[in-house]
Amino acid sequence: MDNALEEFYRKEQEKDEAERQVLQKSYDRIAWLRLVAFLGIVILLYLGLTERPGKELYLIGGIVCIVIFLVLIRIHDGIEKKQRLLAARAAVVEAYPARFGTGWREFPDDGSGFLGKKDTVVKDLDLLGPGSLYQMISICRSAYGKWRLADVLKDPYTVIEDRSERQEAIRELAEKPQFLLDYESVVHQAFDDSRRHPTRDEEKKRPGNTYKPGRIRFAGWMAILMILVPAANVAVIAAILVGLIQPAWVLVSFLVGYMITAGCKAKLEEQTKGIFASEMTSGQVYPIFKRIEDEEFKSVRLTEIRNRVAGNDGMLVAQKKLSRLADLKNLDYNPVVGMLLTGFVGWDFFLAFMATRWDRNHGEAFAGSFDIVAELEELGSLAVLSIVRPTCTPVLSEEEQGLHFHELSHPLLDPETVVANDADLASPLTIITGSNMSGKTTFLRTVAINLVLSYVGAGTTAKDFISGYRKLFTSMRVQDDVAGGISTFYAEILRIKEMAEYISDKKGIPALCLIDEIFKGTNSADRIVGAEEALKKLSKDGSMVIVSTHDFELCELKQENGDPAENYHFEESYEDDKLVFDYTMKDGPCTTRNARALLTLAGLMGSAEQ
C-alpha cells in the first residue's frame, strides 16, 4: 500500500473511533433520561387518572412527561443515526486496505446475480462473479447503482460516446479519496440501514426511477378524520381538566382514535406507497445530496451532477423535507410512541396529508434522484481502481489499429507479485506460445480487462496504454452443456463462429478476438488444420486475433494476404530441479516444453521418462 494512503486511512479510523466513544456516552446518558421520563409518564398518569386531590396537576405532569419523552426519543434517534453512519464508515474505511492486496476477494457483493448464461466475455475476464473486477471496486449500495455498474461492465460499448467526459470525472474522483469515503459512507447508511422503511426494491429485479410525481391523493374523508381524532382527544382532556367527566374517559377516547386510525392504515399506506415504498425515500438519503452539494468539482460531468443537486430545481430542498417526513414516519417503529401517536393524534392521517403536500410541491424535483445516486456510485467504483492500483489514462483512437502498452499488469492480481509486460501488437494475427502455467492465459485476460476499463473511462493498470476501438470477443473458459448436448469442442466452435459472423458482416467496429488454447477439445491433427483455417478468417477485414497455443506448428501460419503471423512466447527455467516462471512475454516462438516436468513434480511420471 502507498505509505501516504496508508496513513490517511489509519487517521480516518482513529478519528472515527474517537467520535464513536463520545457518541456512546451521549447515547447512554439519553437512554437513562428516557427511562426516567417513561417512569414519570406511568406514575403521573396513574395519579392523574385516579381519584385524589390535585389529580389535574398530576395529569398535566404526565402529559409534560410524554412531550419530554418524545423529545428525548428524537435526540436519541439522532445520536443513533450518527452511530450508524460511523459504523458504515468503519466498514468503508476497512475495505480500502483490503483492496490494496487480495483481501477484497472476501467482499460479499461480487455481482454474481447479474451474470447471464450468455455473458461469456464477462465470465472469461472476471468482470463479474467471485474474484471479479466488480467485487474489487464496487462501492454501490443502492439497487440501481449495482445494476448500473454491472451493465457498464457487461456492455462497455454503450458508454463509449461519453467516454471523454466519464474519463475526466473518474480521474477527478480518484483524486478525491476523502469525498469517496464520505459519499460511500452516507450511501452505505442510507441503503443498508435495517431500521429504514423495509419495502426496498428487489435487487433481482431491474430497478429504476419508479417514482412518479403527482400520483398521491388525500381524500376528503381522510381530512375529516385527521381533524376529528386529535380534536376528540383534546376535547376529552379539556373536559377532564374542568371536571365535567371522569379521567377514565381519556382511555375510551384513546382507544376509539386508535381503532379508527388503525382501521384506515392499510388504505393510507396504499395511497402513500409511491413515497414510502421506494428505496430512495429512506430518511438517510438527504445526507447523500448534502455531501454532493458541499463538494467542489472541476470536471464537466461532476459539475453537472452537483448543479442538478444544488441548483434552482429544488432537488436538495426536496430531499431535506423528504428526510424529515421519513423521520416522522419512522416514529411508527417505536411501539410505545407509535401507539400513542396513533390513538391520540391519528398519526397516519397526518403522514398521508404531509406526503400529499410534499408530492405536490417537490415531487418533480425529486424524480431525478435515482439517476444521480447511481451514476456517482458507478463512476466512484471505477475511480477506486486508480486509488488502489497504479494506473494511467488510456488513449483510444479510431485511427489506431494496434495495441501498444508499457508495464501492463492485471488489476486483480496481488500488486506485490504481479508481473507487468510491454508489447506493441500491430499485426492482425498474433500467436503466443509457451509452456504450461507460464502466463499465456493471464496475458490475454490482462489485455482484455484493460481494454474494457479504457472503454468505460477508467484508468488502465499500465504506465501507458494506446489502443483503437474494437469489439471484444473471447474464447477462454469454454464449458460443455450436458443438458443441451453440447461438448466443450462444439461450444468453442460456436464461440468462434460468432466471431467470424461478426467480422463478415462488416457493420460494426473492428473485432479483437482473444482465444486461449484454440480447439483444445479435439485431436492434434484436426486441431491444427481447423485452427489454421479459423485464424485466417478471423484476422481479415481490419480485425485482430491474439491466440495462445501449445501447437508450435501454428507459429508458421500466414495470413490470407501472405504476411506471417507475429510470434511471442512465455518460457520457464529450472532452479534446483524446480520450474521457475518469470511471466514475461518475449519475442518469437517458444522453444521449450514443460508438461513432462510438471507430471514428474506431481509424481505421475518417473524421472527416467523425461
Side-chain angles (χ1 to χ4, degrees):
M1 183 193 300
D2 180 270
N3 290 334
L5 284 170
E6 183 178 16
E7 182 68 12
F8 168 74
Y9 291 117
R10 185 184 65 79
K11 287 184 176 180
E12 288 295 314
Q13 288 176 316
E14 291 177 353
K15 181 179 69 175
D16 293 344
E17 176 58 24
E19 186 175 353
R20 187 195 66 78
Q21 293 179 9
V22 172
L23 286 174
Q24 186 61 47
K25 291 179 181 179
S26 298
Y27 184 88
D28 294 340
R29 190 181 304 116
I30 297 298
W32 280 107
L33 291 175
R34 277 179 58 178
L35 178 59
V36 171
F38 180 76
L39 293 175
I41 292 171
V42 174
I43 294 171
L44 292 172
L45 286 181
Y46 172 77
L47 295 175
L49 295 174
T50 55
E51 288 297 329
R52 66 185 65 251
K55 63 182 180 181
E56 293 82 0
L57 293 177
Y58 289 125
L59 187 61
I60 293 172
I63 294 172
V64 170
C65 283
I66 290 175
V67 174
I68 293 173
F69 184 73
L70 293 176
V71 171
L72 289 174
I73 283 179
R74 289 300 304 273
I75 295 173
H76 212 217
D77 286 346
I79 294 173
E80 192 174 9
K81 185 187 296 185
K82 292 179 181 178
Q83 288 178 318
R84 293 197 302 273
L85 177 59
L86 279 177
R89 187 179 177 82
V92 170
V93 175
E94 186 179 354
Y96 276 87
R99 290 186 177 106
F100 280 93
T102 58
W104 56 268
R105 294 178 180 273
E106 303 300 321
F107 292 175
D109 184 17
D110 60 18
S112 294
F114 303 108
L115 276 172
K117 188 175 182 180
K118 295 182 179 180
D119 294 326
T120 54
V121 174
V122 176
K123 295 174 184 176
D124 282 349
L125 304 184
D126 296 310
L127 297 176
L128 296 172
S132 66
L133 181 66
Y134 178 101
Q135 185 179 21
M136 177 189 182
I137 67 174
S138 176
I139 63 170
C140 301
R141 300 288 174 172
S142 73
Y144 200 14
K146 293 177 181 181
W147 271 102
R148 182 165 180 143
L149 177 60
D151 281 351
V152 165
L153 293 177
K154 289 170 67 173
D155 192 0
Y157 314 102
T158 58
V159 295
I160 278 184
E161 290 185 1
D162 300 328
R163 180 186 161 278
S164 296
E165 279 191 9
R166 289 172 55 84
Q167 190 177 74
E168 182 188 22
I170 292 169
R171 187 166 58 241
E172 181 176 5
L173 288 173
E175 296 170 355
K176 292 177 175 288
Q178 183 70 64
F179 171 77
L180 282 182
L181 273 183
D182 295 343
Y183 184 75
E184 185 181 356
S185 298
V186 292
V187 174
H188 188 316
Q189 182 189 17
F191 294 108
D192 286 9
D193 186 355
S194 61
R195 286 183 45 137
R196 69 179 182 79
H197 198 48
T199 51
R200 66 181 297 174
D201 292 336
E202 292 288 341
E203 291 185 7
K204 292 184 179 180
K205 298 178 181 178
R206 182 178 294 274
N209 191 352
T210 55
Y211 169 76
K212 304 297 181 185
R215 300 252 181 117
I216 298 177
R217 298 288 182 267
F218 191 72
W221 65 269
M222 297 178 185
I224 293 172
L225 291 177
M226 180 182 72
I227 297 171
L228 183 61
V229 171
N233 281 291
V234 170
V236 168
I237 293 172
I240 293 172
L241 291 176
V242 298
L244 294 178
I245 57 176
Q246 295 297 314
W249 278 98
V250 74
L251 293 177
V252 175
S253 176
F254 166 79
L255 289 174
V256 172
Y258 185 88
M259 287 187 292
I260 291 173
T261 307
C264 298
K265 191 178 185 69
K267 181 65 175 178
L268 293 170
E269 289 187 345
E270 175 68 22
Q271 291 283 16
T272 59
K273 69 179 181 179
I275 289 181
F276 294 123
S278 167
E279 69 168 358
M280 280 298 297
T281 55
S282 159
Q284 314 298 335
V285 172
Y286 168 71
I288 299 174
F289 293 88
K290 188 67 176 73
R291 186 63 188 88
I292 296 171
E293 184 202 37
D294 291 342
E295 190 70 21
E296 293 294 332
F297 297 109
K298 296 179 181 178
S299 63
V300 173
R301 192 69 162 258
L302 298 179
T303 300
E304 287 178 351
I305 289 175
R306 184 185 179 279
N307 288 343
R308 288 177 63 193
V309 169
N312 296 327
D313 60 358
M315 184 177 291
L316 190 63
V317 174
Q319 282 290 346
K320 186 173 185 178
K321 292 189 176 181
L322 179 61
S323 177
R324 292 173 180 171
L325 182 57
D327 285 342
L328 294 175
K329 173 68 175 177
N330 286 339
L331 291 175
D332 279 348
Y333 300 132
N334 185 298
V336 175
V337 175
M339 182 175 63
L340 292 174
L341 288 174
T342 300
F344 282 121
V345 183
W347 190 236
D348 289 289
F349 293 112
F350 279 92
L351 285 175
F353 174 71
M354 289 184 285
T356 305
R357 288 189 59 190
W358 178 89
D359 178 61
R360 182 173 63 249
N361 296 329
H362 304 289
E364 290 290 343
F366 167 78
S369 301
F370 296 80
D371 293 314
I372 284 180
V373 172
E375 183 173 6
L376 264 180
E377 283 186 294
E378 180 242 317
L379 294 174
S381 295
L382 293 169
V384 163
L385 181 65
S386 292
I387 294 177
V388 300
R389 295 288 186 273
T391 62
C392 71
T393 301
V395 177
L396 291 181
S397 170
E398 293 183 2
E399 289 75 30
E400 177 58 55
Q401 299 300 310
L403 283 164
H404 312 280
F405 45 81
H406 294 90
E407 298 184 20
L408 181 73
S409 62
H410 199 298
L412 305 184
L413 297 182
D414 188 342
E416 297 296 324
T417 58
V418 68
V419 175
N421 274 286
D422 302 342
D424 291 292
L425 305 176
S427 172
L429 177 57
T430 300
I431 308 292
I432 301 178
T433 47
S435 52
N436 296 287
M437 302 180 0
S438 60
K440 303 186 302 298
T441 306
T442 299
F443 176 77
L444 295 180
R445 292 196 176 109
T446 300
V447 171
I449 197 170
N450 276 282
L451 269 174
V452 171
L453 289 169
S454 69
Y455 290 168
V456 300
T460 50
T461 48
K463 193 169 184 179
D464 57 72
F465 187 93
I466 302 172
S467 174
Y469 294 106
R470 292 186 175 276
K471 172 75 172 178
L472 193 60
F473 292 90
T474 62
S475 178
M476 296 179 186
R477 291 183 176 130
V478 183
Q479 295 180 329
D480 61 0
D481 181 359
V482 177
I486 297 176
S487 67
T488 302
F489 177 56
Y490 189 60
E492 185 178 5
I493 289 176
L494 292 178
R495 286 210 197 181
I496 293 178
K497 178 186 177 184
E498 180 186 4
M499 301 176 190
E501 289 176 346
Y502 176 87
I503 293 169
S504 64
D505 282 347
K506 302 179 183 179
K507 292 181 180 179
I509 59 176
L512 172 61
C513 305
L514 302 173
I515 305 174
D516 184 38
E517 303 291 353
I518 187 168
F519 295 147
K520 55 183 171 289
T522 190
N523 64 79
S524 59
D526 289 343
R527 179 171 63 247
I528 293 171
V529 173
E532 288 177 347
E533 292 300 317
L535 294 176
K536 287 180 180 179
K537 289 181 180 295
L538 297 179
S539 59
K540 64 181 183 178
D541 297 326
S543 295
M544 284 185 69
V545 184
I546 305 176
V547 59
S548 71
T549 182
H550 285 290
D551 296 317
F552 293 167
E553 295 89 343
L554 294 180
C555 295
E556 305 298 325
L557 184 62
K558 289 182 169 53
Q559 305 168 48
E560 282 196 343
N561 62 5
D563 292 340
E566 198 168 39
N567 276 273
Y568 295 93
H569 73 278
F570 290 85
E571 62 185 18
E572 77 288 339
S573 59
Y574 293 86
E575 294 180 9
D576 300 325
D577 294 327
K578 293 183 179 179
L579 282 172
V580 177
F581 302 99
D582 62 13
Y583 305 113
T584 301
M585 193 170 72
K586 302 173 178 64
D587 293 335
C590 182
T591 58
T592 62
R593 303 172 187 266
N594 71 0
R596 291 191 177 189
L598 290 173
L599 289 167
T600 300
L601 290 174
L604 300 175
M605 179 178 285
S607 58
E609 297 180 72
Q610 294 185 51

